[in-house]
Coordinates of all heavy atoms in Angstrom, one line a residue:
M16 N 0.9 -1.2 0.0 CA 0.0 0.0 0.0 C 0.9 1.2 0.0 O 1.9 1.2 0.6 CB -0.9 0.0 1.3 CG -1.7 -1.2 1.5 SD -3.1 -1.4 0.5 CE -4.3 -0.3 1.0
Q17 N 0.4 2.3 -0.7 CA 1.2 3.5 -0.7 C 0.2 4.7 -0.8 O -0.8 4.6 -1.5 CB 2.1 3.5 -1.9 CG 3.2 4.5 -1.9 CD 4.3 4.3 -2.9 OE1 4.0 4.5 -4.1 NE2 5.4 3.9 -2.6
G18 N 0.6 5.7 -0.1 CA -0.2 7.0 -0.2 C 0.6 8.1 0.3 O 1.7 8.0 0.8
G19 N 0.1 9.3 0.1 CA 0.8 10.5 0.6 C 0.3 11.7 -0.2 O -0.8 11.7 -0.8
V20 N 1.1 12.7 -0.1 CA 0.8 14.0 -0.7 C 2.1 14.6 -1.4 O 3.2 14.4 -0.9 CB 0.2 15.0 0.3 CG1 1.2 15.3 1.4 CG2 -0.3 16.3 -0.3
V21 N 1.9 15.3 -2.5 CA 2.9 16.0 -3.2 C 2.4 17.4 -3.6 O 1.3 17.5 -4.1 CB 3.4 15.3 -4.5 CG1 4.5 16.0 -5.2 CG2 3.8 13.8 -4.3
M22 N 3.2 18.4 -3.2 CA 2.8 19.8 -3.5 C 3.9 20.5 -4.1 O 5.1 20.2 -3.9 CB 2.4 20.5 -2.2 CG 1.2 19.8 -1.4 SD 0.9 20.7 0.1 CE 2.3 20.4 1.1
K23 N 3.6 21.5 -4.9 CA 4.6 22.4 -5.5 C 4.7 23.6 -4.6 O 3.7 24.2 -4.1 CB 4.1 22.9 -6.9 CG 3.9 21.8 -7.9 CD 5.2 21.2 -8.3 CE 5.0 20.1 -9.4 NZ 6.2 19.4 -9.7
A24 N 5.9 24.0 -4.3 CA 6.2 25.1 -3.4 C 7.2 26.1 -4.1 O 7.8 25.7 -5.0 CB 6.8 24.6 -2.1
E25 N 7.3 27.3 -3.5 CA 8.2 28.3 -4.0 C 8.7 29.1 -2.9 O 8.0 29.5 -2.0 CB 7.5 29.2 -5.1 CG 8.5 30.1 -5.7 CD 7.8 30.9 -6.9 OE1 6.7 30.6 -7.3 OE2 8.5 31.9 -7.3
A26 N 10.1 29.3 -2.9 CA 10.7 30.1 -1.9 C 11.8 30.9 -2.6 O 12.7 30.3 -3.3 CB 11.3 29.2 -0.7
K27 N 11.8 32.2 -2.3 CA 12.9 33.0 -2.9 C 13.0 32.8 -4.4 O 14.1 32.8 -5.0 CB 14.2 32.8 -2.2 CG 14.2 33.1 -0.8 CD 15.5 32.8 -0.1 CE 15.4 33.0 1.4 NZ 16.7 32.7 2.1
G28 N 11.8 32.6 -5.1 CA 11.8 32.5 -6.5 C 12.2 31.1 -7.0 O 12.3 30.9 -8.2
I29 N 12.5 30.2 -6.1 CA 12.9 28.8 -6.5 C 11.7 27.9 -6.3 O 11.2 27.8 -5.2 CB 14.1 28.3 -5.7 CG1 15.3 29.2 -6.0 CG2 14.5 26.9 -6.1 CD1 16.5 28.9 -5.1
K30 N 11.3 27.2 -7.3 CA 10.2 26.2 -7.2 C 10.8 24.8 -6.9 O 11.8 24.4 -7.4 CB 9.4 26.1 -8.5 CG 8.7 27.5 -8.8 CD 7.9 27.4 -10.1 CE 7.3 28.7 -10.4 NZ 6.5 28.7 -11.6
Y31 N 10.1 24.1 -6.0 CA 10.5 22.8 -5.6 C 9.3 22.0 -5.1 O 8.2 22.6 -4.9 CB 11.6 22.9 -4.5 CG 11.2 23.5 -3.2 CD1 10.8 22.7 -2.1 CD2 11.2 24.9 -3.0 CE1 10.4 23.3 -0.9 CE2 10.8 25.5 -1.9 CZ 10.4 24.6 -0.8 OH 10.0 25.2 0.4
D32 N 9.5 20.7 -5.0 CA 8.4 19.8 -4.6 C 8.5 19.5 -3.1 O 9.6 19.4 -2.5 CB 8.5 18.4 -5.3 CG 8.3 18.5 -6.8 OD1 7.7 19.5 -7.2 OD2 8.6 17.6 -7.5
V33 N 7.4 19.5 -2.4 CA 7.3 19.1 -1.0 C 6.4 17.8 -1.0 O 5.3 17.8 -1.6 CB 6.6 20.2 -0.2 CG1 6.4 19.7 1.2 CG2 7.3 21.5 -0.3
Y34 N 6.9 16.7 -0.4 CA 6.2 15.5 -0.4 C 6.4 14.7 0.9 O 7.3 14.9 1.6 CB 6.6 14.6 -1.6 CG 8.1 14.6 -1.9 CD1 8.9 13.7 -1.4 CD2 8.6 15.5 -2.8 CE1 10.3 13.7 -1.7 CE2 10.0 15.5 -3.1 CZ 10.8 14.6 -2.5 OH 12.1 14.6 -2.8
D35 N 5.4 13.9 1.1 CA 5.4 13.0 2.3 C 4.6 11.7 1.8 O 3.4 11.8 1.6 CB 4.7 13.6 3.5 CG 4.9 12.9 4.8 OD1 5.6 11.9 4.8 OD2 4.4 13.4 5.8
V36 N 5.4 10.7 1.6 CA 4.8 9.4 1.0 C 5.1 8.3 2.0 O 6.2 8.1 2.5 CB 5.4 9.1 -0.4 CG1 4.9 7.8 -0.9 CG2 5.2 10.3 -1.3
Y37 N 4.0 7.5 2.2 CA 4.1 6.3 3.1 C 3.9 5.1 2.2 O 3.0 5.0 1.4 CB 3.0 6.3 4.1 CG 3.1 7.5 5.1 CD1 2.6 8.7 4.9 CD2 3.8 7.2 6.3 CE1 2.7 9.7 5.8 CE2 3.9 8.3 7.2 CZ 3.4 9.5 7.0 OH 3.5 10.5 7.9
S38 N 4.8 4.1 2.4 CA 4.6 2.8 1.8 C 4.6 1.8 3.0 O 5.5 1.8 3.8 CB 5.8 2.5 0.9 OG 5.9 3.4 -0.1
G39 N 3.7 0.9 3.0 CA 3.6 0.0 4.1 C 3.1 -1.4 3.7 O 2.5 -1.6 2.6
Y40 N 3.4 -2.4 4.6 CA 3.0 -3.7 4.4 C 2.3 -4.1 5.7 O 2.8 -3.8 6.8 CB 4.2 -4.7 4.2 CG 3.8 -6.1 4.3 CD1 3.1 -6.7 3.3 CD2 4.2 -6.9 5.4 CE1 2.8 -8.0 3.3 CE2 3.8 -8.3 5.4 CZ 3.1 -8.8 4.4 OH 2.8 -10.1 4.4
S41 N 1.1 -4.6 5.7 CA 0.3 -4.8 6.9 C 0.7 -5.9 7.7 O 0.3 -6.1 8.9 CB -1.2 -5.0 6.5 OG -1.3 -6.1 5.7
G42 N 1.6 -6.8 7.3 CA 2.1 -7.9 8.0 C 1.0 -9.0 8.2 O 0.0 -9.0 7.5
W43 N 1.2 -9.8 9.2 CA 0.2 -10.9 9.5 C -0.3 -10.6 10.9 O 0.5 -10.5 11.9 CB 0.9 -12.3 9.5 CG 1.2 -12.8 8.1 CD1 1.1 -12.1 6.9 CD2 1.7 -14.1 7.8 NE1 1.5 -12.9 5.9 CE2 1.9 -14.1 6.4 CE3 2.1 -15.2 8.6 CZ2 2.4 -15.2 5.8 CZ3 2.6 -16.3 7.9 CH2 2.7 -16.3 6.5
L44 N -1.6 -10.6 11.0 CA -2.2 -10.4 12.3 C -2.0 -11.6 13.2 O -1.9 -12.7 12.7 CB -3.7 -10.1 12.2 CG -4.1 -8.8 11.5 CD1 -5.6 -8.7 11.4 CD2 -3.6 -7.6 12.4
G45 N -1.8 -11.4 14.5 CA -1.6 -12.5 15.4 C -0.3 -13.1 15.4 O -0.1 -14.2 16.0
T46 N 0.7 -12.5 14.8 CA 2.1 -13.1 14.9 C 3.1 -11.9 15.1 O 2.9 -10.8 14.7 CB 2.4 -13.8 13.6 OG1 3.7 -14.3 13.7 CG2 2.3 -12.9 12.3
A47 N 4.2 -12.3 15.7 CA 5.2 -11.3 16.0 C 6.4 -11.4 15.0 O 7.2 -10.5 14.9 CB 5.8 -11.4 17.4
V48 N 6.4 -12.5 14.2 CA 7.5 -12.7 13.2 C 7.4 -11.9 11.9 O 8.4 -11.7 11.3 CB 7.7 -14.2 13.0 CG1 8.1 -14.9 14.2 CG2 6.5 -14.8 12.3
L49 N 6.2 -11.5 11.5 CA 6.0 -10.8 10.3 C 5.2 -9.5 10.7 O 4.0 -9.4 10.4 CB 5.2 -11.6 9.3 CG 6.0 -12.9 8.8 CD1 5.1 -13.7 7.9 CD2 7.2 -12.5 8.1
P50 N 5.9 -8.5 11.2 CA 5.2 -7.3 11.7 C 4.8 -6.4 10.6 O 5.2 -6.5 9.5 CB 6.2 -6.7 12.7 CG 7.5 -7.1 12.1 CD 7.3 -8.5 11.5
Y51 N 4.1 -5.3 11.0 CA 3.8 -4.2 10.1 C 5.1 -3.5 9.8 O 5.9 -3.4 10.7 CB 2.8 -3.3 10.8 CG 2.4 -2.1 10.0 CD1 1.4 -2.2 9.1 CD2 3.0 -0.9 10.1 CE1 1.0 -1.2 8.3 CE2 2.7 0.2 9.3 CZ 1.6 0.0 8.4 OH 1.3 1.1 7.6
M52 N 5.2 -3.1 8.6 CA 6.4 -2.4 8.1 C 6.0 -1.1 7.4 O 5.1 -1.1 6.6 CB 7.1 -3.3 7.1 CG 8.6 -3.2 7.2 SD 9.4 -4.5 6.2 CE 8.6 -4.4 4.7
L53 N 6.7 0.0 7.7 CA 6.3 1.3 7.2 C 7.6 2.0 6.7 O 8.6 2.1 7.5 CB 5.6 2.2 8.2 CG 5.2 3.6 7.8 CD1 4.2 3.5 6.7 CD2 4.7 4.4 8.9
V54 N 7.6 2.6 5.5 CA 8.7 3.4 5.0 C 8.1 4.7 4.7 O 7.2 4.8 3.9 CB 9.4 2.7 3.8 CG1 10.5 3.6 3.2 CG2 9.9 1.4 4.1
E55 N 8.7 5.8 5.2 CA 8.2 7.1 4.9 C 9.3 7.9 4.2 O 10.5 7.9 4.6 CB 7.9 7.9 6.2 CG 7.4 9.3 6.0 CD 7.1 10.0 7.3 OE1 7.5 9.5 8.4 OE2 6.5 11.1 7.2
M56 N 8.9 8.6 3.1 CA 9.8 9.5 2.3 C 9.2 10.9 2.5 O 8.1 11.2 2.1 CB 9.8 9.1 0.9 CG 10.6 10.0 0.0 SD 10.7 9.5 -1.7 CE 9.0 9.9 -2.2
Q57 N 10.0 11.7 3.2 CA 9.5 13.1 3.5 C 10.5 14.1 3.2 O 11.7 13.9 3.5 CB 9.1 13.1 5.0 CG 8.6 14.4 5.6 CD 8.4 14.3 7.1 OE1 9.1 13.7 7.8 NE2 7.4 15.0 7.5
T58 N 10.1 15.3 2.8 CA 11.0 16.4 2.5 C 11.0 17.3 3.7 O 10.0 17.4 4.5 CB 10.6 17.2 1.3 OG1 9.3 17.7 1.5 CG2 10.7 16.4 0.0
V59 N 12.1 18.0 3.9 CA 12.1 19.2 4.8 C 12.8 20.3 4.0 O 13.6 20.1 3.1 CB 13.0 18.8 6.1 CG1 12.3 17.8 6.9 CG2 14.4 18.4 5.7
N60 N 12.4 21.5 4.4 CA 13.0 22.6 3.6 C 14.2 23.2 4.4 O 14.5 22.8 5.5 CB 11.9 23.7 3.3 CG 11.3 24.3 4.5 OD1 12.0 24.5 5.5 ND2 10.1 24.6 4.4
M61 N 14.8 24.2 3.8 CA 16.1 24.7 4.4 C 15.7 25.6 5.6 O 16.6 25.9 6.4 CB 16.8 25.5 3.3 CG 17.3 24.5 2.2 SD 18.5 25.2 1.0 CE 18.0 26.8 0.7
Q62 N 14.5 26.0 5.8 CA 14.1 26.8 6.9 C 14.0 25.8 8.1 O 14.2 26.2 9.3 CB 12.8 27.6 6.7 CG 13.0 28.8 5.8 CD 13.1 28.3 4.3 OE1 12.5 27.4 3.9 NE2 13.9 29.1 3.6
Q63 N 13.5 24.6 7.9 CA 13.4 23.6 8.9 C 14.7 23.0 9.3 O 14.9 22.6 10.5 CB 12.4 22.5 8.5 CG 11.0 22.9 8.3 CD 10.2 21.8 7.6 OE1 10.6 21.3 6.5 NE2 9.1 21.5 8.2
A64 N 15.6 22.7 8.4 CA 16.9 22.1 8.6 C 17.9 23.0 8.0 O 18.2 22.9 6.8 CB 16.9 20.7 8.0
T65 N 18.5 23.9 8.8 CA 19.4 24.9 8.3 C 20.7 24.3 7.8 O 21.4 25.0 7.1 CB 19.7 26.0 9.4 OG1 20.2 25.3 10.6 CG2 18.4 26.7 9.8
E66 N 21.0 23.1 8.1 CA 22.2 22.5 7.6 C 22.1 22.1 6.2 O 23.1 21.8 5.5 CB 22.6 21.3 8.5 CG 21.7 20.1 8.4 CD 20.5 20.1 9.4 OE1 20.3 21.2 10.0 OE2 19.8 19.1 9.5
L67 N 20.9 22.1 5.6 CA 20.7 21.7 4.2 C 21.3 22.9 3.3 O 21.1 24.0 3.6 CB 19.3 21.5 3.9 CG 18.6 20.3 4.5 CD1 17.2 20.2 4.2 CD2 19.3 19.0 4.1
K68 N 21.9 22.5 2.2 CA 22.5 23.5 1.3 C 21.7 23.6 0.0 O 21.9 24.4 -0.8 CB 23.9 23.1 0.9 CG 24.8 22.9 2.1 CD 25.0 24.2 2.9 CE 25.9 24.1 4.1 NZ 25.5 24.9 5.2
H69 N 20.7 22.6 -0.2 CA 19.9 22.5 -1.4 C 18.5 22.2 -1.1 O 18.2 21.6 0.0 CB 20.5 21.5 -2.4 CG 21.9 21.6 -2.7 ND1 22.4 22.5 -3.6 CD2 23.0 21.0 -2.3 CE1 23.7 22.5 -3.7 NE2 24.1 21.5 -2.9
Y70 N 17.6 22.6 -2.0 CA 16.2 22.2 -1.8 C 16.1 20.7 -2.1 O 17.0 20.1 -2.8 CB 15.3 23.0 -2.8 CG 15.1 24.4 -2.3 CD1 16.0 25.5 -2.7 CD2 14.2 24.7 -1.3 CE1 15.8 26.8 -2.2 CE2 14.0 26.0 -0.9 CZ 14.8 27.0 -1.3 OH 14.7 28.3 -0.8
P71 N 15.0 20.1 -1.7 CA 14.8 18.6 -2.0 C 14.8 18.3 -3.4 O 14.4 19.2 -4.2 CB 13.5 18.3 -1.3 CG 12.8 19.6 -1.0 CD 13.8 20.6 -1.0
P72 N 15.2 17.1 -3.8 CA 15.1 16.7 -5.2 C 13.7 16.6 -5.7 O 12.8 16.5 -4.9 CB 15.8 15.4 -5.3 CG 15.8 14.9 -3.9 CD 15.7 16.0 -3.0
P73 N 13.4 16.7 -7.0 CA 12.1 16.6 -7.5 C 11.4 15.3 -7.0 O 12.1 14.3 -6.9 CB 12.2 16.6 -9.0 CG 13.6 17.2 -9.3 CD 14.4 16.9 -8.1
Y74 N 10.1 15.3 -6.9 CA 9.4 14.1 -6.4 C 9.7 12.9 -7.3 O 9.9 11.8 -6.8 CB 7.9 14.4 -6.4 CG 7.1 13.1 -6.1 CD1 7.1 12.5 -4.9 CD2 6.4 12.5 -7.2 CE1 6.4 11.3 -4.7 CE2 5.7 11.4 -6.9 CZ 5.7 10.8 -5.7 OH 5.0 9.6 -5.5
E75 N 9.7 13.0 -8.6 CA 9.8 11.9 -9.5 C 11.2 11.2 -9.3 O 11.3 10.0 -9.3 CB 9.7 12.4 -11.0 CG 8.4 12.8 -11.4 CD 8.0 14.2 -10.9 OE1 8.9 15.0 -10.6 OE2 6.8 14.6 -10.9
Q76 N 12.2 12.0 -9.0 CA 13.6 11.5 -8.7 C 13.6 10.7 -7.4 O 14.1 9.6 -7.3 CB 14.6 12.6 -8.7 CG 16.0 12.1 -8.4 CD 17.0 13.3 -8.4 OE1 16.7 14.4 -8.7 NE2 18.2 13.0 -8.0
S77 N 13.0 11.3 -6.4 CA 12.9 10.6 -5.1 C 12.0 9.3 -5.2 O 12.3 8.3 -4.5 CB 12.4 11.5 -4.0 OG 13.4 12.5 -3.8
K78 N 10.9 9.4 -5.9 CA 10.0 8.3 -6.0 C 10.7 7.1 -6.7 O 10.6 5.9 -6.3 CB 8.8 8.7 -6.8 CG 7.8 7.6 -7.1 CD 7.1 7.1 -5.8 CE 5.9 6.3 -6.1 NZ 6.2 4.9 -6.4
E79 N 11.6 7.4 -7.7 CA 12.4 6.3 -8.3 C 13.3 5.6 -7.3 O 13.4 4.4 -7.3 CB 13.2 6.8 -9.5 CG 12.4 7.2 -10.7 CD 13.2 7.9 -11.8 OE1 14.5 7.8 -11.7 OE2 12.6 8.4 -12.7
R80 N 13.9 6.4 -6.5 CA 14.8 5.8 -5.5 C 14.0 5.0 -4.4 O 14.5 4.0 -4.0 CB 15.6 7.0 -4.7 CG 16.6 7.7 -5.6 CD 17.2 8.8 -4.8 NE 18.2 9.5 -5.6 CZ 18.7 10.7 -5.3 NH1 18.3 11.3 -4.2 NH2 19.6 11.3 -6.1
L81 N 12.9 5.5 -4.1 CA 12.0 4.8 -3.1 C 11.6 3.5 -3.7 O 11.7 2.4 -3.0 CB 10.8 5.6 -2.7 CG 9.8 5.0 -1.8 CD1 10.3 4.7 -0.5 CD2 8.5 5.8 -1.8
D82 N 11.2 3.5 -4.9 CA 10.7 2.2 -5.6 C 11.9 1.2 -5.6 O 11.6 0.0 -5.4 CB 10.2 2.5 -7.0 CG 8.9 3.2 -7.0 OD1 8.2 3.2 -5.9 OD2 8.5 3.8 -8.0
V83 N 13.1 1.6 -6.0 CA 14.2 0.7 -6.0 C 14.5 0.1 -4.6 O 14.7 -1.1 -4.4 CB 15.5 1.4 -6.5 CG1 16.7 0.6 -6.3 CG2 15.4 1.7 -8.0
M84 N 14.4 0.9 -3.6 CA 14.6 0.5 -2.2 C 13.5 -0.5 -1.8 O 13.8 -1.6 -1.3 CB 14.6 1.6 -1.2 CG 15.0 1.1 0.2 SD 14.8 2.4 1.4 CE 13.1 2.6 1.5
L85 N 12.2 -0.2 -2.1 CA 11.1 -1.1 -1.8 C 11.2 -2.4 -2.5 O 10.9 -3.5 -1.9 CB 9.8 -0.4 -2.0 CG 9.5 0.8 -1.2 CD1 8.2 1.5 -1.7 CD2 9.3 0.4 0.3
K86 N 11.7 -2.4 -3.7 CA 11.8 -3.7 -4.5 C 12.9 -4.5 -3.9 O 12.9 -5.8 -4.1 CB 12.0 -3.4 -6.0 CG 10.8 -2.9 -6.7 CD 11.1 -2.6 -8.1 CE 9.9 -2.0 -8.8 NZ 10.1 -1.6 -10.2
S87 N 13.9 -3.9 -3.3 CA 15.0 -4.7 -2.7 C 14.6 -5.4 -1.4 O 15.3 -6.3 -0.9 CB 16.2 -3.8 -2.5 OG 16.0 -3.0 -1.4
M88 N 13.5 -4.9 -0.8 CA 13.1 -5.5 0.5 C 12.3 -6.8 0.3 O 11.5 -6.8 -0.6 CB 12.2 -4.5 1.3 CG 13.0 -3.2 1.6 SD 11.9 -1.9 2.3 CE 11.6 -2.5 3.9
R89 N 12.7 -7.8 1.0 CA 12.0 -9.1 0.9 C 12.1 -9.9 2.1 O 13.0 -9.7 3.0 CB 12.6 -9.9 -0.3 CG 14.1 -10.2 -0.1 CD 14.7 -10.6 -1.4 NE 16.1 -10.9 -1.3 CZ 17.0 -10.0 -1.2 NH1 16.7 -8.7 -1.3 NH2 18.3 -10.3 -1.1
W90 N 11.2 -10.9 2.2 CA 11.3 -11.8 3.4 C 12.4 -12.8 3.0 O 12.7 -13.2 1.9 CB 10.0 -12.6 3.5 CG 8.8 -11.7 3.8 CD1 7.7 -11.6 3.1 CD2 8.7 -10.9 4.9 NE1 6.9 -10.7 3.6 CE2 7.4 -10.2 4.8 CE3 9.4 -10.6 6.1 CZ2 6.9 -9.3 5.7 CZ3 8.9 -9.7 7.0 CH2 7.7 -9.1 6.8
R91 N 13.2 -13.2 4.1 CA 14.2 -14.2 3.9 C 14.0 -15.3 4.9 O 13.5 -15.1 6.0 CB 15.6 -13.5 4.0 CG 15.9 -13.0 5.4 CD 17.3 -12.5 5.5 NE 17.6 -11.9 6.8 CZ 17.8 -12.6 7.9 NH1 17.9 -13.9 7.8 NH2 18.1 -12.0 9.0
P92 N 14.4 -16.5 4.5 CA 14.3 -17.6 5.4 C 15.2 -17.4 6.7 O 16.2 -16.8 6.6 CB 14.8 -18.8 4.6 CG 15.2 -18.3 3.3 CD 15.0 -16.9 3.2
T93 N 14.7 -17.9 7.8 CA 15.5 -17.9 9.0 C 15.9 -19.3 9.4 O 15.3 -20.3 9.0 CB 14.7 -17.2 10.1 OG1 13.5 -18.0 10.4 CG2 14.3 -15.8 9.8
N94 N 16.9 -19.4 10.3 CA 17.3 -20.7 10.8 C 17.4 -20.6 12.3 O 18.2 -19.9 12.8 CB 18.7 -21.1 10.2 CG 19.0 -22.5 10.5 OD1 18.2 -23.3 11.0 ND2 20.3 -22.9 10.1
P95 N 16.5 -21.2 13.0 CA 15.5 -22.1 12.6 C 14.3 -21.4 11.9 O 14.2 -20.2 12.1 CB 15.0 -22.8 13.9 CG 15.3 -21.8 14.9 CD 16.5 -21.0 14.5
P96 N 13.5 -22.1 11.1 CA 12.4 -21.5 10.4 C 11.4 -20.9 11.3 O 11.2 -21.3 12.4 CB 11.8 -22.6 9.6 CG 12.8 -23.7 9.6 CD 13.6 -23.6 10.8
M97 N 10.8 -19.8 10.9 CA 9.7 -19.2 11.6 C 8.6 -20.2 11.8 O 8.3 -20.9 10.8 CB 9.2 -17.9 10.9 CG 10.2 -16.8 10.9 SD 9.6 -15.3 10.1 CE 10.1 -15.6 8.5
S98 N 8.0 -20.2 12.9 CA 7.0 -21.2 13.2 C 5.8 -21.1 12.2 O 5.2 -22.1 11.9 CB 6.5 -21.1 14.7 OG 5.9 -19.8 14.9
E99 N 5.5 -20.0 11.7 CA 4.4 -19.8 10.8 C 4.7 -20.5 9.4 O 3.8 -20.7 8.7 CB 4.1 -18.3 10.5 CG 3.4 -17.6 11.7 CD 4.3 -17.3 12.9 OE1 5.5 -17.6 12.9 OE2 3.7 -16.7 13.8
F100 N 5.9 -20.8 9.2 CA 6.3 -21.4 7.9 C 6.7 -22.9 8.0 O 7.0 -23.5 7.0 CB 7.5 -20.7 7.2 CG 7.1 -19.3 6.8 CD1 7.9 -18.2 7.3 CD2 6.1 -19.0 6.0 CE1 7.5 -16.9 6.9 CE2 5.7 -17.7 5.6 CZ 6.5 -16.7 6.1
V101 N 6.6 -23.4 9.2 CA 6.9 -24.9 9.4 C 5.6 -25.7 9.1 O 4.5 -25.4 9.6 CB 7.3 -25.1 10.8 CG1 7.5 -26.6 11.1 CG2 8.6 -24.4 11.1
K102 N 5.8 -26.7 8.2 CA 4.6 -27.5 7.9 C 4.3 -28.4 9.1 O 5.1 -28.9 9.8 CB 5.0 -28.4 6.7 CG 5.1 -27.7 5.4 CD 5.4 -28.6 4.3 CE 5.6 -27.8 3.0 NZ 5.8 -28.7 1.8
K103 N 3.0 -28.5 9.3 CA 2.5 -29.3 10.5 C 1.9 -30.6 10.1 O 1.5 -30.8 9.0 CB 1.5 -28.5 11.3 CG 2.1 -27.2 11.8 CD 1.1 -26.4 12.6 CE 1.8 -25.1 13.0 NZ 1.0 -24.2 13.7

């Protein structure tokens, strides 16, 4: 599941994107081995974080990076196997 907001902003004549996007996996109810997982991609501006030297990258560029990271996430087998995956 994914949702969020993307807005166009302007400061000192410079236009940039402001975004806050959530990607999540609901996990399995009633188990602790496959919990809920949430990844948030959020911008901050240079007034909020004075150590920043540049405005945030465009949303499309950040979304591509987020998608690559999300595709790299996967369940992996454990040793011993998780009880939910052991045949009974």
